[in-house]
Amino acid sequence: MREYQAIRGGGHEAVLDLYEGMPHVFQASVPNTPESHTALARAAAFFSEHLQYLLAFEQNA
């Protein structure tokens, strides 16, 4: 939570998804749950969006 707040406080984009009752890194420890599928899909979408920007920037540099 503090890292998320620091990132947002610094003016950067961050997303914090909380999954009630799930342990830390639950996506790896309980991978076949709807919560894991949702979390991984949301992370993939976030990284895809932001890595596309970085890749475009690198190609134009």
Side-chain angles (χ1 to χ4, degrees):
M1 180 71 98
R2 284 186 226 147
E3 187 171 358
Y4 167 79
Q5 292 170 329
I7 292 168
R8 294 293 294 177
H12 303 284
E13 187 171 351
V15 175
L16 176 63
D17 291 334
L18 301 175
Y19 295 87
E20 188 174 340
M22 289 295 184
H24 182 64
V25 297
F26 67 91
Q27 302 89 335
S29 59
V30 285
N32 294 320
T33 62
E35 293 86 355
S36 292
H37 293 218
T38 299
L40 290 172
R42 289 180 54 81
F46 181 87
F47 286 125
S48 179
E49 177 185 342
H50 293 280
L51 290 179
Q52 289 301 323
Y53 168 78
L54 292 175
L55 291 173
F57 177 79
E58 187 176 274
Q59 290 173 356
N60 292 325

